Amino acid sequence: MLKNLHCKELSLNIETPQVMGILNVTPDSFSDGGNFSQIDAALKQVDQMISYGAAIIDIGGESTRPGAKDVTEQDELDRVIPILKAIKERFNVVVSVDTSKAAVMSEAINCGAGMINDVRALQNEGCLQAVAQHQNVAICLMHMQGLPRTMQHDPQYDNLIVDISTFFQQRISDCKKAGIDASRLILDPGFGFGKSLEQNYRLLAHMAKFKSLDLPILAGLSRKSMIGKLLNREVDERLAGSLATAIIAVQQGAKIIRVHDVKETVDALKILQAIEKNK
Ligand code: 7PJ
């Protein structure tokens, strides 16, 4: 498998697992997301995440939590683009934009995004074409069953791992047909996206099976309800659970871990790496 991912002008070495830090750009009712205090707060958070060892910063302007409302294209652009530009002006870091809209993808790439992270795996209108035009931008294709509003209503699979693998193979093939080289792709099984509690843990236990697809795997488990439900913990009490899942995901072959708590995750992964080195 390839060891370097091209993310625009930057190259990401995924021989050792890398941490993607989640940047909160949650809008408040008094602003459009592009005002100074919000950008200033975001830049401070980015500065911290980089100093703790994040290799990628993931910005998302659409909430994909179960039951979340749709966001308009303009709202998403207004939330994401000013922050993206401000980060790229100041920091030498890969910025990933979490979006499913072709127009947001194009604008984000033009403004310096090195990665597009799409929970809908480029299935929306115009997305394949939008990213096909920029050969050196990485793309994360995530698996989701259903759509955010309803995806947690009794998800069903014939065979969880096989069904997700089949989805990945179809998307990889569609990307190739659209002129997107496989070397740009990252796969994410989509924890919490149309999976029951038991299915999420089965997925974590068997994630190593996706290694046969020969593409880097990204896992996003941080603070998710699969942790909260199992441990009976509110969202701000899920750090220990999140670290445990991050370690297991990397042991199962994940190369990028998407997290809120960068400092703690980097520490936990260093322990795992020391073990790997001394085996
Ligand atoms: C994921 C994501 C994930 C990728 C979200 C949350 C929900 N992108 N965006 N993988 N989750 N690639 O962070 O709880 O698991 S939003």
Side-chain angles (χ1 to χ4, degrees):
M1 201 206 294
L2 94 173
K3 304 281 188 229
N4 272 300
L5 263 177
H6 298 293
C7 303
K8 265 252 167 102
E9 80 288 4
L10 298 172
S11 171
L12 197 65
N13 182 322
I14 49 165
E15 241 163 315
T16 53
Q18 298 290 350
V19 170
M20 169 189 264
I22 302 168
L23 181 66
N24 298 314
V25 286
T26 42
D28 65 55
S29 48
F30 304 107
S31 83
D32 59 5
N35 70 32
F36 174 76
S37 70
Q38 233 180 330
I39 290 193
D40 199 44
L43 290 173
K44 282 196 182 115
Q45 208 193 327
V46 170
D47 192 23
Q48 270 197 335
M49 291 198 285
I50 294 171
S51 73
Y52 293 145
I56 309 162
I57 303 296
D58 190 44
I59 326 175
E62 181 207 10
S63 175
T64 41
R65 288 185 176 284
K69 288 204 184 87
D70 292 341
V71 178
T72 68
E73 184 179 295
Q74 195 56 51
D75 279 350
E76 220 182 297
L77 286 167
D78 290 345
R79 282 182 202 171
V80 168
I81 300 300
I83 292 177
L84 167 64
K85 283 183 178 166
I87 297 170
K88 290 306 293 185
E89 272 168 24
R90 291 165 183 82
F91 303 103
N92 190 32
V93 70
V94 175
V95 179
S96 152
V97 172
D98 191 339
T99 185
S100 297
K101 294 187 178 75
V104 179
M105 291 176 186
S106 299
E107 186 64 9
I109 293 169
N110 288 330
C111 294
M115 187 183 294
I116 296 296
N117 171 23
D118 185 3
V119 299
R120 294 177 185 80
L122 305 179
Q123 292 178 103
N124 279 357
E125 180 91 39
C127 289
L128 286 166
Q129 296 81 340
V131 301
Q133 292 170 27
H134 304 273
Q135 281 305 333
N136 53 355
V137 172
I139 300 149
C140 179
L141 301 172
M142 199 196 77
H143 174 271
M144 163 162 57
Q145 185 182 87
L147 289 170
R149 207 188 305 274
T150 52
M151 65 191 177
Q152 291 308 100
H153 300 169
D154 194 24
Q156 303 278 344
Y157 293 86
D158 292 332
N159 179 314
L160 180 72
I161 303 295
V162 173
D163 291 2
I164 296 174
S165 290
T166 305
F167 171 83
F168 284 149
Q169 281 163 337
Q170 187 61 55
R171 293 315 296 148
I172 295 165
S173 156
D174 289 347
C175 282
K176 282 182 187 159
K177 280 184 210 150
I180 301 165
D181 198 84
S183 64
R184 300 173 56 189
L185 302 177
I186 301 162
L187 305 175
D188 180 346
F191 288 96
F193 287 85
K195 284 118 190 153
S196 68
L197 184 60
E198 194 201 339
Q199 287 160 353
N200 279 309
Y201 281 97
R202 198 179 318 141
L203 191 53
L204 184 54
H206 293 282
M207 219 177 31
K209 293 187 176 140
F210 300 123
K211 281 186 200 167
S212 65
L213 294 166
D214 210 30
L215 289 176
I217 305 292
L218 185 152
L221 295 134
S222 186
R223 302 183 188 173
K224 285 197 173 170
S225 68
M226 62 182 279
I227 297 166
K229 279 186 194 155
L230 188 79
L231 305 178
N232 193 20
R233 298 279 186 230
E234 290 304 322
V235 72
D236 59 349
E237 295 184 307
R238 297 178 187 170
L239 177 59
S242 298
L243 295 176
T245 61
I247 294 279
I248 296 161
V250 170
Q251 284 182 320
Q252 291 281 329
K255 297 296 183 197
I256 302 174
I257 303 293
R258 180 181 178 275
V259 301
H260 301 88
D261 304 289
V262 172
K263 184 185 184 191
E264 293 83 355
T265 307
V266 169
D267 278 358
L269 294 183
K270 278 186 185 162
I271 303 288
L272 181 59
Q273 276 153 40
I275 297 300
E276 296 298 329
K277 248 191 225 158
N278 290 290
K279 260 187 179 161

